[in-house]
Amino acid sequence: MKELEGKVAAVTGAASGLGRAMALAFADEGMHVALGDVSDLDEVLTAVKRRGVNALAMRLDVSKALEVEAFAQKIDAELGGAHLVCNNAGVSPLGAAWETSVGDWQWILGVNLWGVINGVRSFVPRLIARNEGHVINTASVAGLINPPGSGAYNVTKHAVVALSETLHHDLRERNSAVGVSVLCPAYVPTGIADSERNRPSGLQATVKSRETLAREQMLRKAVESGRLSADDVARAVVQAVKDERFYILTHPRIKGAIRARMEDILEERTPRNPMAL
Ligand SMILES: NC(=O)c1ccc[n+]([C@@H]2O[C@H](COP(=O)([O-])OP(=O)(O)OC[C@H]3O[C@@H](n4cnc5c(N)ncnc54)[C@H](O)[C@@H]3O)[C@@H](O)[C@H]2O)c1
């Protein structure tokens, strides 16, 4: 999508971090913006409107298909429908696969994977109908490599990469003009290390092992010291949409670990630990 001005962007997870930065970057391009999040959106709504574009905000849980569909309907009614859709909301509680409770598996899959599925199911038919638009699904480098200690998170992010690649092929097969990108950042300073703030009420916290507690500290440090800001990533997303680029790999230094994984697969070697490369 080369021309963004005057078009409409929909962003989930827009209250904080990458979603907030993308919403502001789209508004800076002259796009009208629809903001969705489980958290309060007042601050970002004001910041978007200050840029002189139209905006709406809706509290929603992306894991619930009906709420995502209601978001799409509200955008149709109030902004004339979305052109650019960012399925971005995510959570990242850590833990080994066997230590993660069934409830936590369902929570993480619900937000990170079903959130994207629900966004695709509600918005893509609308984009196909107008034969114009672009979908950006936020995965992670954890969708291309598998760092230890975050089994559920890695599963969801690999699934988002798989879903995005297949969506791209299916749209090309139908000669649709709708584009797709998958965003795969490494560590960026945002609220992601504090995902527990979004734990659904009534879902008991998992008892964490010593290893998980240590890994949480490492994640927090890595996220806080991320060299690229959320604004840098948002600018890369805007450029990728204009260039109609599929993979958005914002941190080139991680490519060595991705290459190592691909080589291990092709050589049928036991996987190396990407964090030790
Ligand atoms: N920050 C990083 O280092 C990093 C790296 C790779 C990928 N990501 C991905 O980027 C995306 C955005 O995360 P972030 O880093 O900006 O973190 P963040 O915590 O700052 O933002 C996540 C947003 O998602 C919202 N959210 C959580 N559960 C929701 C739900 N059920 N429904 C609707 N909204 C919900 C939160 O309220 C929050 O506003 C996530 O998908 C994350 O996995 C982040």
Side-chain angles (χ1 to χ4, degrees), residues 49-273:
K49 281 186 173 165
R50 213 179 291 129
R51 284 157 167 83
V53 296
N54 298 332
L56 67 80
M58 182 173 157
R59 295 285 282 268
L60 81 157
D61 178 346
V62 294
S63 70
K64 305 214 162 88
L66 290 179
E67 295 186 19
V68 176
E69 177 58 24
F71 186 45
Q73 285 174 9
K74 189 174 168 69
I75 298 168
D76 287 345
E78 296 180 25
L79 297 174
H83 301 83
L84 182 56
V85 179
C86 298
N87 296 307
N88 166 77
V91 291
S92 174
L94 302 183
W98 69 91
E99 290 170 352
T100 302
S101 69
V102 170
D104 272 20
W105 269 99
Q106 286 169 341
W107 172 36
I108 301 166
L109 263 72
V111 181
N112 295 7
L113 178 54
W114 275 101
V116 178
I117 296 169
N118 291 333
V120 166
R121 293 195 73 262
S122 275
F123 285 99
V124 169
R126 291 171 157 88
L127 299 182
I128 290 172
R130 66 160 78 215
N131 200 29
E132 182 188 21
H134 200 100
V135 179
I136 298 159
N137 295 327
T138 302
S140 165
V141 294
L144 302 168
I145 55 175
N146 288 297
S150 49
Y153 187 77
N154 297 349
V155 164
T156 61
K157 296 303 185 179
H158 279 258
V160 168
V161 172
L163 172 58
S164 305
E165 289 181 2
T166 315
L167 179 63
H168 167 82
H169 297 316
D170 289 343
L171 288 164
R172 296 296 74 75
E173 222 175 56
R174 285 161 179 74
N175 294 318
S176 169
V178 176
V180 182
S181 299
V182 65
L183 173 61
C184 298
Y187 300 119
V188 185
T190 66
I192 197 69
D194 293 311
S195 292
E196 286 292 330
R197 74 191 190 283
N198 291 313
R199 173 175 289 279
S201 57
L203 176 61
Q204 213 184 337
T206 305
V207 179
K208 290 173 186 159
S209 62
R210 198 160 31 88
E211 290 85 350
T212 296
L213 291 171
R215 205 166 286 284
E216 277 184 354
Q217 278 192 354
M218 278 167 51
L219 174 72
R220 183 174 301 281
K221 236 189 219 162
V223 165
E224 281 169 3
S225 52
R227 292 216 187 114
L228 284 191
S229 68
D231 291 337
D232 293 330
V233 173
R235 275 191 290 273
V237 168
V238 168
Q239 198 53 50
V241 172
K242 289 180 177 170
D243 295 346
E244 298 178 353
R245 191 150 39 80
F246 181 85
Y247 293 109
I248 313 176
L249 271 63
T250 48
H251 296 69
R253 280 171 60 185
I254 207 73
K255 285 186 182 175
I258 300 168
R259 186 170 293 114
R261 173 167 182 261
M262 298 303 167
E263 286 169 0
D264 289 343
I265 293 171
L266 294 172
E267 299 296 327
E268 299 180 47
R269 278 196 300 249
T270 305
R272 283 169 277 176
N273 179 350

